[in-house]
Amino acid sequence: MAFEPIRKQRQPGIPCNLADYDQAVRDFSWGKARAELDGLPGGRGLNICHEAVDRHAAGPRASRPALRCVARDGAVTEFSYASLRSQTSRFANLLRALRTGKGDRVFSLLGRVPELYVAALGTLKNASVFSPLFPAFGPEPIRERLSLGDGKVLVTSPQLYERKIAPIRDSLPGLEHVLVTGGPPDAKTTGLAEAMAGCGEDFEIPPTDPQDMALLHFTSGTTGRPKGAVHVHEAVVAHHATAAAALDLRPDDVFWCTADPGWVTGTSYGIIAPLAHGLTLMTDAADFEARRWYRMLAEHRVTVWYTAPTAIRMLMRYGPELPASCDLSALRFIASVGEPLNPEAVVWGERALGLPIHDNWWQTETGAIMISNFASMEIRPGSMGRPLPGVTAGLLARGADGRARVTDGKVTEITEPGAEGELALRPGWPSMFRGYLHDDERYAEAFGGGWYLTGDVARRDCDGYYWFVARADDVIKSAGHLVGPFEVESVLLEHPAVAEAGVIGTPDPVAGELVKAFVSVTPGYEASGELRLELIAFGRRRLGAVAPKEIEFDQHLPHTQSGKVMRRVLKARELGLPTADLSTMREAR
Ligand code: AMP
């Protein structure tokens, strides 16, 4: 079914930040975007926390609500910009007292509680590096990331500590301090509240070079360990500019980003960008629940809402009556990211919520939105939109492995409308990742012919709108979360019954993809229903939310010539697609 472009906006009288796309592209420069921020007083550099908190706290917005955290039980904790400055300063002073300074890694493993936001911003204020972990991870992904990222300090809750950190603490000798949000469960942990109470509310941000490392976000590739994408303080220029252009954020907005800060969206747009605009940021500690979410939007008079396709599809299941019974009149703009947004969902938004959903595209490595449907432009349902001002996107011809073909450092750009290619970006925007921590080789492989190669396949229509086609590699997108098949396979292989494993994503109407493992069993074990349940429970225990939901036994897993399990053949079989043409496939990079 073809979907008509959506041209109408609900409040056509209100001008958009980006009123004329072509002119905005012509007029834009990253230098001008930088000039909209302050910089540290005395020309001492650029620090994310100064831009997000301290500069507003020092001006007329000081008493404006900066952060409104809704707890699971509905209780609200609110910080003005002035109080957020004090709290983040206390946290920065605490880090200093713990001899944690510039470049040291501070991790969080927390639900969306106030302490998470204070720790994130206080870490940046101290010029240390903040690395958020997704709290639904199991102990194995947590251990892997803390160890790869050289975690020195961890902020967590007593419950998460006992379930996930205590069992792995001894394998993390570099982890010097564990700060817990409640009473410390053992002598190896420190109570955060008490420690912060002993610290002062004044803190002078140290000189911060815009190129100083600020954030470490883990993402997954097809092979090998997770990749730690390094971002720098200068990224705030892109967070601020793209939030204005793509999310239409303004200082009087009440903004809710439903992403968990354990994933890049929840940090770039769930903490930094909205505060950099001096608006009121909403957060909710609870998980998805349709009634609660509509209530959040209505009661808190949310004006701009940034969410995910899986969430929209879950809301669609509840029908239009629920939103019709809530007062959503404050809502001005809705955007979504993280996975393909089906055209039905875009149109449903307009019918049920009175506003279409604006899809946008980016990834951990890009640090900020790169392609978007804008408030002022028609939406083509199913399209990711057009590149942000300041961003140059292109499509590159692909080789037999599905990735952009790079020959002698050269690539071929595809210009023909409708043709598919690997989506690529010209490096140079401020939130571009500066490396994969401790992995220069994989970083170098992410570039070719002067482009950053995204790993996504897309096409572009004759008006410059980009349309997502598929991932060019084997990574899985489940409910918006990127899952590395290798990480899942490695854990399954630790079970004595598993001889080999191949992990793929299978289509799911709500979550996009579900993680499925094909397993061959070790001689002496029986591929029984009981073993299947045991392996699912084993995966769940070790991996948490990224564990396989389904396990299929197969004693004849397809292999490459060098003996690697061929996930693409498994996937083709699962989808009922021909596999013959894959026999000559080169191994994935
Ligand atoms: P992550 O690094 O976890 O944010 O995942 C980034 C990946 O999510 C991209 O490379 C895409 O494969 C996928 N993705 C993000 N946004 C979209 C979108 N709007 N449409 C389709 N896929 C998307």
Side-chain angles (χ1 to χ4, degrees):
M1 177 174 158
F3 287 83
E4 291 295 315
I6 298 177
R7 295 205 176 83
K8 275 192 217 126
Q9 299 294 311
R10 189 154 84 180
Q11 292 156 308
I14 299 180
C16 313
N17 287 337
L18 185 147
D20 178 333
Y21 177 78
D22 294 319
Q23 190 180 341
V25 169
R26 272 196 308 274
D27 293 350
F28 186 88
S29 78
W30 287 113
K32 283 190 208 162
R34 163 67 183 83
E36 287 186 21
L37 299 178
D38 253 12
L40 284 174
R44 290 180 306 117
L46 182 71
N47 181 290
I48 294 176
C49 187
H50 174 79
E51 302 306 328
V53 181
D54 287 27
R55 69 173 175 139
H56 304 304
R61 308 190 79 73
S63 58
R64 185 189 158 104
L67 180 61
R68 198 179 292 158
C69 298
V70 180
R72 281 175 193 274
D73 65 3
V76 175
T77 308
E78 195 168 275
F79 297 87
S80 64
Y81 277 95
S83 61
L84 198 53
R85 175 179 57 184
S86 305
Q87 290 303 312
T88 52
S89 290
R90 278 186 194 279
F91 189 84
N93 277 320
L94 172 59
L95 289 182
R96 212 174 254 182
L98 297 175
R99 296 186 183 288
T100 300
K102 186 174 267 207
D104 286 334
R105 316 285 150 67
V106 178
F107 279 70
S108 67
L109 180 71
L110 282 171
R112 292 177 293 278
V113 293
E115 291 89 340
L116 170 62
Y117 299 87
V118 169
L121 293 159
T123 298
L124 295 166
K125 187 172 248 187
N126 190 45
S128 302
V129 175
F130 181 65
S131 187
L133 294 172
F134 184 46
F137 275 147
E140 191 49 38
I142 292 170
R143 194 196 56 71
E144 181 90 292
R145 286 159 177 77
L146 275 167
S147 143
L148 255 174
D150 311 312
K152 179 171 176 180
V153 177
L154 171 70
V155 188
T156 188
S157 69
Q159 298 78 11
L160 287 166
Y161 176 80
E162 286 190 19
R163 280 182 22 231
K164 306 192 181 189
I165 302 298
I168 57 171
R169 179 86 195 256
D170 289 345
S171 64
L172 296 165
L175 184 61
E176 292 178 20
H177 307 285
V178 177
L179 306 169
V180 288
T181 51
D186 63 29
K188 292 190 199 165
T189 56
T190 306
L192 176 65
E194 209 178 313
M196 275 178 64
C199 295
E201 287 189 355
D202 291 319
F203 183 88
E204 192 186 1
I205 299 182
T208 311
D209 189 296
Q211 302 309 320
D212 279 347
M213 184 172 166
L215 297 158
L216 179 63
H217 283 295
F218 286 92
T219 184
S220 298
T222 306
T223 56
R225 305 173 78 187
K227 304 186 273 192
V230 172
H231 290 281
V232 298
H233 279 271
E234 190 189 28
V236 68
V237 176
H239 298 147
H240 183 261
T242 55
L247 304 179
D248 203 36
L249 286 192
R250 303 156 194 193
D252 291 333
D253 275 320
V254 175
F255 174 70
W256 183 26
C257 168
T258 60
D260 189 277
W263 303 94
V264 70
T265 306
T267 300
S268 293
Y269 298 96
I271 306 180
I272 299 169
L275 296 176
H277 278 273
L279 51 72
T280 300
L281 169 65
M282 299 291 314
T283 72
D284 183 16
D287 292 330
F288 175 86
E289 204 268 299
R291 272 188 188 77
R292 180 182 175 105
W293 276 34
Y294 285 126
R295 230 179 22 243
M296 282 281 296
L297 291 170
E299 282 176 13
H300 294 282
R301 309 290 297 156
V302 172
T303 56
V304 179
W305 186 35
Y306 195 22
T307 188
T310 295
I312 305 276
R313 288 190 288 266
M314 292 203 287
L315 289 177
M316 285 168 78
R317 290 195 157 183
Y318 285 82
E321 295 78 21
L322 214 46
S325 67
C326 298
D327 176 8
L328 303 180
S329 58
L331 208 51
R332 192 184 83 239
F333 190 78
I334 309 177
S336 104
V337 72
E339 43 175 327
L341 182 68
N342 42 321
E344 295 83 356
V346 178
V347 175
W348 173 84
E350 201 178 35
R351 243 185 298 120
L353 309 176
L355 294 169
I357 320 281
H358 295 76
D359 187 20
N360 57 54
W361 176 95
W362 59 291
Q363 48 180 207
T364 305
E365 286 84 345
T366 71
I369 301 168
M370 295 284 108
I371 294 178
S372 180
N373 286 283
F374 300 92
S376 59
M377 272 170 34
E378 75 173 32
I379 297 178
R380 301 198 172 165
S383 159
M384 309 186 287
R386 298 175 73 182
L388 271 279
V391 171
T392 306
L395 296 172
L396 306 180
R398 299 185 298 147
D401 63 354
R403 300 293 311 267
R405 195 182 328 109
V406 186
T407 315
D408 297 331
K410 293 202 173 59
V411 293
T412 308
E413 216 183 320
I414 295 175
T415 49
E416 202 186 313
E420 290 177 8
E422 179 165 349
L423 179 60
L425 302 164
R426 285 278 186 212
W429 68 96
S431 63
M432 190 183 88
F433 73 133
R434 301 299 203 270
Y436 289 127
L437 194 70
H438 307 315
D439 201 343
D440 294 343
E441 199 180 315
R442 282 214 277 187
Y443 184 64
E445 278 174 9
F447 297 86
W451 294 89
Y452 162 63
L453 313 173
T454 68
D456 282 0
V457 181
R459 58 191 171 80
R460 186 178 47 221
D461 65 24
C462 49
D463 297 314
Y465 280 74
Y466 281 78
W467 300 72
F468 181 82
V469 175
R471 287 288 307 187
D473 57 19
D474 292 338
V475 293
I476 300 159
K477 256 281 155 142
S478 187
H481 300 154
L482 205 64
V483 181
F486 179 80
E487 194 171 12
V488 179
E489 289 159 4
S490 308
V491 164
L492 288 175
L493 284 168
E494 286 176 30
H495 191 285
V498 177
E500 279 188 307
V503 168
I504 62 163
T506 59
D508 180 81
V510 175
E513 286 188 303
L514 292 180
V515 180
K516 175 170 181 177
F518 290 82
V519 159
S520 67
V521 295
T522 320
Y525 284 88
E526 196 195 333
S528 62
E530 216 170 276
L531 180 61
R532 178 180 295 118
L533 291 180
E534 185 181 324
L535 291 178
I536 287 180
F538 176 77
R540 181 86 213 160
R541 228 171 22 250
R542 301 286 302 273
L543 291 159
V546 297
K549 302 274 179 298
E550 202 186 332
I551 298 220
E552 186 173 322
F553 294 113
D554 183 344
Q555 291 305 100
H556 304 284
L557 292 175
H559 291 101
T560 60
Q561 282 164 358
S562 65
K564 281 199 240 164
V565 173
M566 291 174 88
R567 301 186 192 110
R568 283 191 219 179
V569 175
L570 290 173
K571 181 131 185 174
R573 280 187 195 161
E574 178 75 16
L575 301 179
L577 299 172
T579 54
D581 55 332
L582 293 166
S583 56
T584 53
M585 191 181 75
R586 277 198 330 211
E587 289 175 18
R589 273 190 257 164

